[in-house]
Amino acid sequence: LLLPCLLLVLLLLAPALPAPQGRGLIINLEAGELCLQSIQCKSGCCQREGVLSLARCAPKAAEFQVCSPKSIYNVYYKCPCESGLTCDADRTIVGSITNTNHGVCIDPRSTDKR
């Protein structure tokens, strides 16, 4: 009885194994796929639209786009900035709690701050 059950489990799990390019069911997720934490997403951003919405992988914010500073929660309402950019936002505890800590991605090396 144990051997047939084990074979059945292996057959059911076979499609869940990662594809050759490294994409899996819980890591290396593409934009638009459901996620629980940003570490699961290729982009590094797991974003939700509202309190009751499901979180999905999304691209990081580009220069002059709305962003959130890095969060300990690892799920964002606005994605953090792409590499090399900083999020010019409210970094207070109150801003984090009330979800008003959104800002704009800027290049700290740029003289054009718009």
Side-chain angles (χ1 to χ4, degrees), residues 62-114:
E63 192 170 12
F64 305 119
Q65 288 185 330
V66 178
C67 60
S68 289
K70 293 277 187 182
S71 164
I72 60 170
Y73 304 116
N74 227 359
V75 176
Y76 300 92
Y77 288 101
K78 302 292 181 187
C79 286
C81 300
E82 294 174 341
S83 182
L85 302 176
T86 59
C87 189
D88 186 22
D90 175 13
R91 295 184 185 274
T92 64
I93 275 290
V94 175
S96 296
I97 293 170
T98 60
N99 191 30
T100 58
N101 61 342
H102 307 307
V104 176
C105 291
I106 58 170
D107 184 348
R109 302 164 300 215
S110 174
T111 56
D112 177 24
K113 301 285 184 192
R114 279 195 189 182

Side-chain angles (χ1 to χ4, degrees), residues 14-36:
L17 295 175
Q21 65 269 33
R23 187 193 171 289
L25 288 177
I26 59 170
I27 58 169
N28 292 327
L29 299 176
E30 299 288 342
E33 293 187 283
L34 293 174
C35 56
L36 295 173

Side-chain angles (χ1 to χ4, degrees), residues 29-68:
L29 299 176
E30 299 288 342
E33 293 187 283
L34 293 174
C35 56
L36 295 173
Q37 291 191 348
S38 292
I39 196 165
Q40 294 177 275
C41 304
K42 280 186 179 180
S43 67
C45 179
C46 185
Q47 178 183 10
R48 71 177 65 234
E49 298 296 321
V51 176
L52 299 177
S53 65
L54 296 173
R56 296 184 179 275
C57 294
K60 286 196 173 177
E63 192 170 12
F64 305 119
Q65 288 185 330
V66 178
C67 60
S68 289

